[in-house]
Amino acid sequence: MFIVEETIAGADAVQIPKQRGESLLDTAVRYAEERHWDVFPGTWLEAVEGVQCCSCGDTACPAPGAHPARPDWATRATGSATVVRRLWQGQPSASILLPTGRTFDAISVPETAGFLALARMERMELTLGPVTVTPDRRMEFFVLPGASLKVPDLVRKSGWAPSSLDLVVLGEGAYVAAPPTRFGCRGAVQWACRPTAANRWLPDVEELVSPLAYACGRDR
C-alpha cells in the first residue's frame, strides 16, 4: 500500500500531516516508481528574518514554495527514479509537482464542494482515484487524461452551464502540487483519498462529473 502521510478526516481538519520520516526525495521517487507519475522539482521555502518565503524571491508569491522554479519545467518532468534522485539531490527542499495531461488530469473544485461530492460519490459507490486537498482550500480529483475535451458537454448534460461552476480541468500544460508540498505558512497539501493499490486504475471523468457539478452548483 502506498501511504505518504495521514489522510485528513474531513472538511474541518487542519492538522499538519505526519511525514513518517520520509524525505521529499524519497517521496518523489515513490511517486515515480510506484505510481509511474512524472514528477519535477518546484520552488522551496527559505527562512528570511524568521518568515518562510518562496525561493522565487517574490514577497507576494501566491503559492510560496509550491510552483515551478523554471520556465522549462514541462521538459524536466520525469518518471525515471534515477533522474528524480539527481534533481532533488541538487535541492532537497524543492516541492514535488506533478504535470497533468500525461498519466492523469485533475478536476479542481472548492474544498466545500469537494467534500460534498465525496460523500455523494460514496453513496453512489463510485471508485475514486487519488484526491488532494490544498492549503488554498481546493480539492483535486485525479482522472484519466483527456478530461478537458469531455467536461464542458458533460457538465451541460448534468444541467449546468460550465461558466456558472467553479470546476476547473487541469490537463496538458498544467500541474498539481503533491503531498507533502507546503504552501508557505498556510500548510501542506494532503490526501483526501490517498494512492493505494485499489485506485491505481483511474476513473474516467464521465463517472465523476455529475456529483462534482451538483456539489459545485450547491456551493455557489
Side-chain angles (χ1 to χ4, degrees):
M1 182 178 291
F2 183 97
I3 303 175
V4 174
E5 61 184 23
E6 297 293 340
T7 304
I8 62 178
D12 295 326
V14 294
Q15 72 271 21
I16 300 299
K18 298 176 181 178
Q19 295 308 315
R20 300 189 177 183
E22 198 165 49
S23 69
L24 288 164
L25 184 155
D26 291 337
T27 304
V29 168
R30 283 163 63 82
Y31 287 142
E33 288 187 332
E34 298 187 19
R35 298 302 291 200
H36 304 293
W37 289 339
D38 284 358
V39 301
F40 67 97
T43 53
W44 56 93
L45 296 173
E46 299 176 333
V48 179
E49 297 181 352
V51 178
Q52 292 294 311
C53 298
C54 187
S55 61
C56 72
D58 182 357
T59 56
C61 180
H67 64 85
R70 298 166 43 149
D72 62 345
W73 61 265
T75 61
R76 301 186 79 212
T78 178
S80 165
T82 300
V83 177
V84 169
R85 288 188 178 93
R86 185 168 68 248
L87 290 173
W88 263 269
Q89 285 169 353
Q91 180 45 255
S93 300
S95 54
I96 303 174
L97 306 180
L98 311 175
T100 51
R102 299 187 183 187
T103 52
F104 66 89
D105 283 356
I107 309 302
S108 174
V109 299
E111 181 184 277
T112 49
F115 279 113
L116 176 61
L118 281 179
R120 191 174 179 86
M121 291 172 186
E122 183 177 353
R123 292 194 298 270
M124 297 169 68
E125 298 184 347
L126 295 179
T127 301
L128 291 175
V131 181
T132 64
V133 182
T134 70
D136 55 0
R137 306 189 70 83
R138 304 287 298 183
M139 292 183 72
E140 293 162 345
F141 291 72
F142 290 23
V143 297
L144 289 172
S148 58
L149 298 176
K150 300 178 179 180
V151 163
D153 284 343
L154 291 172
V155 168
R156 292 187 190 95
K157 289 178 181 177
S158 297
W160 302 93
S163 60
S164 70
L165 301 181
D166 187 1
L167 187 155
V168 180
V169 182
L170 301 174
E172 186 175 359
Y175 63 90
V176 297
T181 294
R182 296 188 63 83
F183 280 56
C185 63
R186 302 205 297 269
V189 183
Q190 301 184 57
W191 291 116
C193 294
R194 56 191 170 185
T196 66
N199 64 18
R200 181 173 295 277
W201 305 108
L202 298 177
D204 192 284
V205 70
E206 294 181 16
E207 303 172 51
L208 307 187
V209 160
S210 179
L212 284 172
Y214 170 80
C216 288
R218 287 279 303 272
D219 191 53
R220 291 185 302 176

